[in-house]
Amino acid sequence: MKIEYKLKDHDNKARLGLLKTNYGEYETPMFMPVGTKATVKSLTPEELYEAHSGICLANTYHLWLRPGEDVIKHAGGLHRFMNYKRPILTDSGGFQVFSLAKNKKRDITEEGVHFKSHLDGTNLLLTPEKSIEIQNKLDSDIAMSFDECPPYPVSYEYMKKSVERTIRWAKRGKAVHNNENQALFGIVQGGEFTDLREYSCKETVKLDFDGYSIGGTSVGENKDVMYKMIEDGIRYLPTDKVRYLMGVGEPIDILEAVERGIDIFDCVLPTRIARHGQAFTRNGKINLNNAKFKEDFTPLDKECDCYTCRNFTRGYIRHLITSDEMLGGRLLSIHNIRFLIKLTEEIREAIKNKEFKNYKKEFIEKYTKEKA
Amino acid sequence: MKIEYKLKDHDNKARLGLLKTNYGEYETPMFMPVGTKATVKSLTPEELYEAHSGICLANTYHLWLRPGEDVIKHAGGLHRFMNYKRPILTDSGGFQVFSLAKNKKRDITEEGVHFKSHLDGTNLLLTPEKSIEIQNKLDSDIAMSFDECPPYPVSYEYMKKSVERTIRWAKRGKAVHNNENQALFGIVQGGEFTDLREYSCKETVKLDFDGYSIGGTSVGENKDVMYKMIEDGIRYLPTDKVRYLMGVGEPIDILEAVERGIDIFDCVLPTRIARHGQAFTRNGKINLNNAKFKEDFTPLDKECDCYTCRNFTRGYIRHLITSDEMLGGRLLSIHNIRFLIKLTEEIREAIKNKEFKNYKKEFIEKYTKEKA
């Protein structure tokens, strides 16, 4: 099957949904951990299950370059290759082509994007067709359309041309998509221009994808711009399809996006900040490099039910982080991923009880006002 | 309690024993994983339990420097600090003072060793008393005497003086040892000189330690020298005390040492080679960086029961290793530690069945003759 989305309940614009997949049913809003190279950095699938992880992401660009999509196909697909027994979403590689090729030759043509591999400088061409072909071979449960991710800010003229091209690319990708068990999502772009978001949204919806994603909203410090992009991008999406906000994982951003009607999220943030010694807590982020944690023998977050918080103290994790011990980043990754997943669990409960607005207010107050 | 050793059975010189500790009873021969900085690199305590780990090592030198023995004391001791619920052995720091201070100022006096911290260059003095005092605070189940670990080779004259000093140091350490629940082991040195090993052994035994260790045997490629050192070092040890060969973890060396009467082993080898992409197999070591494993979708070792072999393939682990993904070294560490522990389990079974000699022969033939 492809996926099925059912809207079960709502609290104003905040939605409670059910996503049926090849690998079980999952409620939304949902946070998806990112396994860029077919591994959520330092963690096993079992640790993700224990954190209540549903869909896991993997990255088409990285897996195309190494080990190659054919190796993964020969292994029996991405699920068997990485032994993840829940749903997998692959992104299109579009974002990586633009972000990783930054200081290298990169040439956007109607055909696709010419660029050099960040690994060995090889000349490569990623097209909408190639991206879908790779994702078909990876055999993920959800594939993403290949889109252009323009920098921010760009001129209205540039963004208009980019959005039009992304729609042509979406059509080309959809035309070659060939995997009965794989859903295909379209992506809404358009930057901060309300009319281009509207155009992108309506034209993408016309192509009738299995779900819709909003891209290009993580544009820096100005959160109001981001929230407006979400509002503009979501306005013309059908209510019976799932809505995915790409690359967003700050707790407050998740709450603001759910309030505007977003269902699923992904972000490298929980594992990336973990490797730098940071942990989410109910009272905001803490940095375990801080000397004040040296003899703090309490858990990272007293309200957390994760493996790390049940078994280890801030003082021990600080010791691991300051000693460059791998277990430190691993324990923080377990906690940070569970923290965001638990946030979405509480959000779902709040939507069921029609208390989302109040839940959001209390969470943000505690997260921003008190000291960890 | 301190520890108790009971010799249960033997097959020629190979011994089957039972070690009673504050944290349960464990059969010997036993392999102990090394958790240098209060963490077996990249692994959790639960993963060690699943690998059937008994005693785990930690390092007095490293923990003295960071986070400091008082921090660990305030946490409630090393078991609570690192959450390891089985026995812990701490080494004396002697080996590290000599190995890590290699290219720095280091001055051996009767009082102890003056050296500079490998972390920040601070001038430090480690004495027999200080080593024991730190280990008392760490509250490990087994502490080691502070000894000198001379390089190999050194002159007979130097080694004689060193051995005599190590015995004086052992006396001083024992005199200040003050922890009712901690055993204290003596260390036999003497290099390749049979009479000095005999002298060191007899004089150390006179001090009546709870167990005995043989040090300074890992001296390079010439295994015959090593095996002779073990024979010379073990000859005058009492049969009712446990015998520990320090820093040895090659499968064949473990077999050769068991045949000569050794009971317990430790080594960083399984985790160190893991981080370099290597795995033990019944057919010898393999290096996952080798391109031939790219599409090898079989387990690391078909006879292994570890988590890694039950869930992941050589091809996937090769992908992780070549992509610098932390999970790769972690999965290999789990396997390599389980491999050595399983080896000791099979050794115990062979001793019970009076088949040790045959078991050893068959293991070594397969390990050295066939190709992995």
Side-chain angles (χ1 to χ4, degrees), chain A residues 306-324:
Chain A
C306 82
Y307 169 77
T308 302
C309 288
R310 292 198 316 272
N311 290 285
F312 302 95
T313 64
R314 292 172 170 193
Y316 180 61
I317 296 168
R318 174 186 149 75
H319 164 65
L320 296 176
I321 292 292
T322 56
S323 302
D324 287 324

Side-chain angles (χ1 to χ4, degrees), chain B residues 80-95:
Chain B
R80 290 190 63 183
F81 184 64
M82 67 186 284
N83 199 31
Y84 191 72
K85 292 165 181 160
R86 295 188 182 178
I88 298 175
L89 182 152
T90 43
D91 64 7
S92 68
F95 181 76

Side-chain angles (χ1 to χ4, degrees), chain B residues 181-199:
Chain B
N181 292 310
Q182 187 180 59
L184 181 60
F185 282 16
I187 303 179
V188 176
Q189 291 284 358
E192 77 277 30
F193 307 108
T194 299
D195 65 325
L196 294 183
R197 285 277 175 191
E198 177 180 343
Y199 174 80

Side-chain angles (χ1 to χ4, degrees), chain B residues 107-330:
Chain B
D107 191 18
I108 305 167
T109 66
E110 187 61 25
E111 185 186 14
V113 184
H114 296 265
F115 67 102
K116 289 178 187 292
S117 160
H118 77 287
L119 294 177
D120 60 8
T122 310
N123 285 312
L124 294 167
L125 167 64
L126 193 56
T127 65
E129 290 84 1
K130 181 73 185 172
S131 171
I132 296 296
E133 182 199 317
I134 297 167
Q135 293 182 76
N136 281 179
K137 284 185 178 175
L138 295 177
D139 202 23
S140 55
D141 301 284
I142 303 171
M144 299 298 300
S145 284
F146 186 69
D147 61 337
E148 184 188 349
C149 306
Y152 174 84
V154 290
S155 70
Y156 182 88
E157 286 313 305
Y158 185 93
M159 186 59 87
K160 187 164 185 291
K161 284 181 184 162
S162 168
V163 162
E164 288 165 352
R165 183 167 46 218
T166 285
I167 288 163
R168 291 192 297 274
W169 284 359
K171 278 182 202 169
R172 283 167 49 192
K174 193 160 189 293
V176 299
H177 184 255
N178 182 26
N179 186 325
E180 278 296 307
N181 292 310
Q182 187 180 59
L184 181 60
F185 282 16
I187 303 179
V188 176
Q189 291 284 358
E192 77 277 30
F193 307 108
T194 299
D195 65 325
L196 294 183
R197 285 277 175 191
E198 177 180 343
Y199 174 80
S200 173
C201 191
K202 286 181 172 173
E203 292 300 312
T204 307
V205 169
K206 277 185 196 164
L207 300 177
D208 191 24
F209 285 100
D210 303 306
Y212 297 92
S213 153
I214 298 177
T217 69
S218 298
V219 294
E221 292 304 304
N222 192 335
K223 296 295 186 181
D224 290 339
V225 173
M226 175 185 182
Y227 303 149
K228 180 175 164 293
M229 285 181 181
I230 297 170
E231 287 166 15
D232 288 343
I234 216 167
R235 193 168 292 130
Y236 304 97
L237 291 180
T239 55
D240 63 345
K241 294 284 169 70
V242 72
R243 301 156 173 185
Y244 163 29
L245 184 61
M246 297 169 84
V248 169
E250 282 282 3
I252 294 173
D253 292 342
I254 289 176
L255 287 161
E256 294 288 350
V258 165
E259 188 166 49
R260 288 161 173 83
I262 295 290
D263 304 310
I264 57 178
F265 301 86
D266 82 283
C267 198
V268 295
L269 191 71
T271 43
R272 179 169 291 166
I273 67 172
R275 294 195 300 281
H276 293 97
Q278 290 185 295
F280 292 122
T281 82
R282 295 282 165 162
N283 306 102
K285 264 181 277 195
I286 59 174
N287 188 329
L288 278 302
N289 286 291
N290 193 318
K292 74 177 174 181
F293 297 119
K294 194 167 184 176
E295 297 211 0
D296 183 342
F297 301 121
T298 65
L300 290 173
D301 185 338
K302 279 171 193 150
E303 293 181 46
C304 184
D305 59 4
C306 82
Y307 169 76
T308 302
C309 288
R310 293 199 316 273
N311 290 285
F312 302 95
T313 65
R314 292 173 168 191
Y316 179 62
I317 296 168
R318 173 186 149 74
H319 164 66
L320 296 175
I321 292 292
T322 56
S323 302
D324 287 324
E325 282 289 345
M326 282 181 286
L327 185 59
R330 186 184 154 197

